[in-house]
Amino acid sequence: MKNTKNKVSEHKIKEIKDLVELIEKNNTLLLSSIKSLPARNFQKIKKSLGNKVKVKILKKRALSRAIDSSKKENISELKNYLSEDIAFIVSNEDAFDLADILDKNKNALKAKAGQISNQDIEIEAGLTEIPAGPAVSELGGLGLQVKVTNGKIEIMKSKVVVKKGQIISAEAASVMGKLDITPFKVGFIPLVAYD
């Protein structure tokens, strides 16, 4: 009978070895949540971080083994923060500088119908680029005071159209889309750093 014990593939062994090397060579290790971060935004942010920062998406098990193999002091505490939807970020930047870089590289995101707003969303008064037409009643439907100026819709008075904690309606999402309002920011959310 053949030995059926699980053998670790050469690829996985190399991946963990490379990961340990990355951990040893860099001063800062950061675990960041990427939950609800669209893949397109992830790639855009990753690219904008440049060569000073390396971002890896790994299985918990592989990262856990690499942490166990590291010679860095107290690094095993990072294992308490391993969960789904995390990115492993390594750099020689200071942990606070790295968190600041991640914060500055967040992308603006449009509101979607059914989404719960984490803030009040206000539509400000002023002339829009929207031509007069069906949009007049659409904006009016949200309680916005509008008039037509030189063939374009003008919002007469600023108004909060979605309150914090409220579900965004299809109508509100549509109007914000037409006005090119991007009330949300998405990006890497630092959870814990080892420096």
Side-chain angles (χ1 to χ4, degrees):
M1 197 163 168
K2 282 186 175 178
N3 186 357
T4 56
K5 275 197 170 181
N6 291 344
K7 279 189 85 178
V8 180
S9 72
E10 292 294 322
H11 169 73
K12 286 183 180 176
I13 291 170
K14 184 181 179 336
E15 180 187 36
I16 291 170
K17 186 180 172 209
D18 291 347
L19 203 50
V20 171
E21 198 175 300
L22 203 57
I23 289 170
E24 299 302 321
K25 280 184 178 175
N26 289 277
N27 296 334
T28 303
L29 315 172
L30 189 136
L31 295 178
S32 174
S33 172
I34 54 170
K35 193 176 175 89
S36 306
L37 179 64
R40 184 176 40 129
N41 296 85
F42 173 84
Q43 292 302 334
K44 201 171 170 185
I45 294 169
K46 185 178 173 185
K47 193 175 179 181
S48 72
L49 294 173
N51 298 331
K52 289 183 179 180
V53 179
K54 289 204 183 332
V55 179
K56 299 267 183 197
I57 304 299
L58 306 157
K59 294 204 181 313
K60 282 172 34 175
R61 194 175 188 156
L63 187 51
S64 182
R65 283 191 176 166
I67 288 169
D68 286 341
S69 301
S70 172
K71 292 174 179 65
K72 289 195 173 189
E73 201 177 315
N74 299 325
I75 194 172
S76 62
E77 290 181 34
L78 281 180
K79 288 170 53 175
N80 298 330
Y81 298 91
L82 295 182
S83 63
E84 302 303 318
D85 302 324
I86 61 163
F88 181 61
I89 302 170
V90 292
S91 176
N92 280 317
E93 296 285 328
D94 172 78
F96 292 104
D97 292 341
L98 184 55
D100 191 46
I101 290 167
L102 294 177
D103 189 51
K104 286 179 180 158
N105 279 284
K106 286 185 175 175
N107 291 169
L109 196 65
K110 288 186 175 183
K112 291 182 183 165
Q115 186 177 6
I116 296 173
S117 181
N118 61 357
Q119 65 194 32
D120 285 352
I121 302 173
E122 182 179 46
I123 295 181
E124 294 186 11
L127 190 61
T128 71
E129 290 301 311
I130 302 172
V136 170
S137 60
E138 205 177 335
L139 273 74
L142 279 183
L144 293 165
Q145 295 175 10
V146 296
K147 74 172 187 174
V148 177
T149 306
N150 298 327
K152 306 267 177 158
I153 297 174
E154 184 176 354
I155 298 168
M156 302 306 297
K157 190 176 174 188
S158 298
K159 181 179 192 314
V160 173
V161 291
V162 180
K163 292 199 183 316
K164 182 179 179 176
Q166 193 176 8
I167 294 173
I168 298 170
S169 68
E171 296 80 13
S174 172
V175 166
M176 285 187 272
K178 284 184 170 93
L179 293 169
D180 205 27
I181 294 172
T182 51
F184 305 114
K185 288 205 176 269
V186 291
F188 297 164
I189 301 162
L191 300 174
V192 64
Y194 175 94
D195 195 341

